Amino acid sequence: MVATTESVVRAPKGADLTAASTLLWDRLRDTAALTGLRDQAESGILTLRVAATFPAEQAAEAHRLFEVGGVRGRPVLLF
């Protein structure tokens, strides 16, 4: 695994799904690891759920959306 893993949750029997909580703080300057994550995302191995995209000027709204909760996926800022 490229990123450090805090915990792994297995899906119910019969489901083809594994979720992992990852922490990337210690990998911010590890360009090889970040390149590996990018490659996995681009190839479809690592799937990302995006709740909504926001222009950088609406960063406060994106943050509010995340704090409120109940949203599937992450808000993404576009620069």
Side-chain angles (χ1 to χ4, degrees), residues 2 5 8-9 17 20 23 25 33 35 47 49 53:
V2 176
T5 302
V8 175
V9 178
L17 174 70
L23 301 173
W25 186 256
T35 299
T47 58
R49 186 179 299 238
T53 58

Side-chain angles (χ1 to χ4, degrees), residues 35-52:
T35 299
L37 284 173
R38 184 203 61 211
D39 293 346
Q40 290 176 2
E42 287 178 350
S43 69
I45 294 169
L46 173 66
T47 58
L48 310 171
R49 186 179 299 238
V50 175

Side-chain angles (χ1 to χ4, degrees), residues 28-68:
L28 287 177
R29 290 189 171 83
D30 185 347
T31 56
L34 293 173
T35 299
L37 284 173
R38 184 203 61 211
D39 293 346
Q40 290 176 2
E42 287 178 350
S43 69
I45 294 169
L46 173 66
T47 58
L48 310 171
R49 186 179 299 238
V50 175
T53 58
F54 297 85
E57 298 79 26
Q58 293 181 2
E61 174 63 19
H63 186 71
R64 185 199 64 75
L65 176 70
F66 182 70
E67 281 187 331
V68 169

